[in-house]
């Protein structure tokens, strides 16, 4: 299995802060990396696919970068609606299509 | 507009078989590249991909659960069904279905681009 490790597991931030979440794959996954936002009681929402492509309708304050084994999700200016848990996922190899353990972004 | 909705029992007993149905609209298995996946999230835990079926009936399963899972589709009814046998309390989770499109990479072959539309989820509790 390809292991996906996110850091940090949680972070506290304020509205307007720049927030960065990191995801590391246990082997190269090239750019086959997606980011999702998950709020309690809601379905996950795709934010970014192919490491850096913004999903239609997602605000431009979200961005993704990286390739190979190291990836980053950045929120340039945190908004109240961005407090949530963020997950990375690899679709490079289906053994299986693993998610990271999640990064919870809460209010400082 | 793509929508998906999961349906099935909210409570199953240990050792029983769970059958979940995903009913969707806004896309069709008659279109090349279309796929539907099942993902679950146990309470307080991370997302966990389970299975995926494509328009051409190709099926993929999580290796750790493969012996317990069966995914099928009904093209005419716009439905995907997931069966999971021998349910255990650790299988208590919210189960989601999601839409995907198959893409191609010259190095790795075919892969799901992303899971871009999700259902609202169905909470399944396994308890006697």
């Amino acid at each position: 299995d390809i292991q996906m490790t996110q850091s940090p597991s949680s972070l506290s931030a304020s509205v307007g802060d720049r927030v960065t979440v990191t995801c590391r794959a246990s082997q190269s996954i090239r750019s086959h990396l997606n980011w999702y936002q998950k709020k309690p009681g809601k379905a996950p929402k795709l934010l970014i696919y192919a490491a850096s492509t913004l999903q239609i309708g997602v605000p431009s304050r979200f961005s993704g970068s990286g390739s190979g084994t190291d990836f980053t999700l950045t929120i340039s200016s945190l908004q109240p609606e961005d407090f949530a848990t963020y997950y990375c996922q690899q679709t490079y190899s289906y053994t299986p299509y693993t998610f990271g353990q999640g990064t919870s972004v809460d209010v400082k | 507009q793509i929508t998906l909705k999961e349906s099935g029992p909210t409570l199953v007993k240990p050792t029983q078989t769970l059958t979940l149905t995903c009913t969707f609209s806004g896309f069709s298995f008659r279109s090349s590249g279309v796929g539907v996946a099942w993902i679950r999230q146990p309470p307080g835990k991370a997302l966990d991909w389970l299975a995926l079926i494509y328009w051409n009936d190709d099926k993929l399963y999580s290796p750790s659960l493969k012996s317990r899972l069966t995914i099928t589709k009904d093209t005419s009814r716009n439905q995907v069904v997931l069966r999971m046998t021998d349910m255990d309390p650790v299988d208590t989770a919210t189960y989601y279905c999601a839409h995907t499109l198959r893409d191609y990479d010259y190095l790795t072959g075919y892969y799901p681009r992303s899971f871009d539309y999700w259902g609202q989820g169905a909470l399944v509790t396994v308890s006697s």
Side-chain angles (χ1 to χ4, degrees), chain A residues 42-104:
Chain A
K42 299 289 189 181
K45 175 185 177 181
L46 175 66
L47 299 176
I48 288 167
Y49 63 94
S52 61
T53 303
L54 199 65
Q55 173 69 351
I56 294 171
V58 174
S60 59
R61 62 181 180 272
F62 291 93
S63 64
S65 64
S67 67
T69 60
D70 294 313
F71 302 86
T72 299
L73 172 70
T74 300
I75 309 172
S76 60
S77 178
L78 194 69
Q79 297 302 300
E81 60 269 30
D82 300 337
F83 292 103
T85 300
Y86 294 85
Y87 292 92
C88 63
Q89 180 210 18
Q90 66 85 14
T91 54
Y92 179 83
S93 168
Y94 91 97
T95 60
Y97 293 125
T98 38
F99 290 87
Q101 83 278 15
T103 295
S104 175

Side-chain angles (χ1 to χ4, degrees), chain B residues 82-95:
Chain B
L82 181 75
R83 292 180 69 249
M84 180 180 288
T85 61
D86 195 24
M87 293 293 284
D88 183 272
V90 300
D91 296 313
T92 293
T94 298
Y95 287 75

Side-chain angles (χ1 to χ4, degrees), chain B residues 9-13 87-89 91-93 95 122-127:
Chain B
T10 58
L11 179 66
V12 297
K13 290 180 167 46
M87 293 293 284
D88 183 272
D91 296 313
T92 293
Y95 287 75
L123 176 61
V124 177
T125 301
V126 184
S127 174

Side-chain angles (χ1 to χ4, degrees), chain A residues 1 30 32 34 36 38 41-46 49-50 55 87 89 91-92 94-97 99-102, chain B residues 39 41 45-49 52 60-63 96 105-108 111-120:
Chain A
D1 291 16
R30 301 177 69 225
H32 294 218
N34 306 315
Y36 301 88
K38 179 71 170 69
K42 299 289 189 181
K45 175 185 177 181
L46 175 66
Y49 63 94
Q55 173 69 351
Y87 292 92
Q89 180 210 18
T91 54
Y92 179 83
Y94 91 97
T95 60
Y97 293 125
F99 290 87
Q101 83 278 15
Chain B
I39 304 100
Q41 185 175 37
K45 295 190 176 182
L47 297 164
D48 183 26
W49 171 76
L52 169 57
L60 299 172
Y61 297 100
S62 175
Y96 297 96
D105 179 293
Y106 73 99
L107 283 180
T108 58
Y111 68 99
R113 184 180 304 166
S114 65
F115 300 142
D116 50 4
Y117 298 91
W118 295 62
Q120 63 191 22

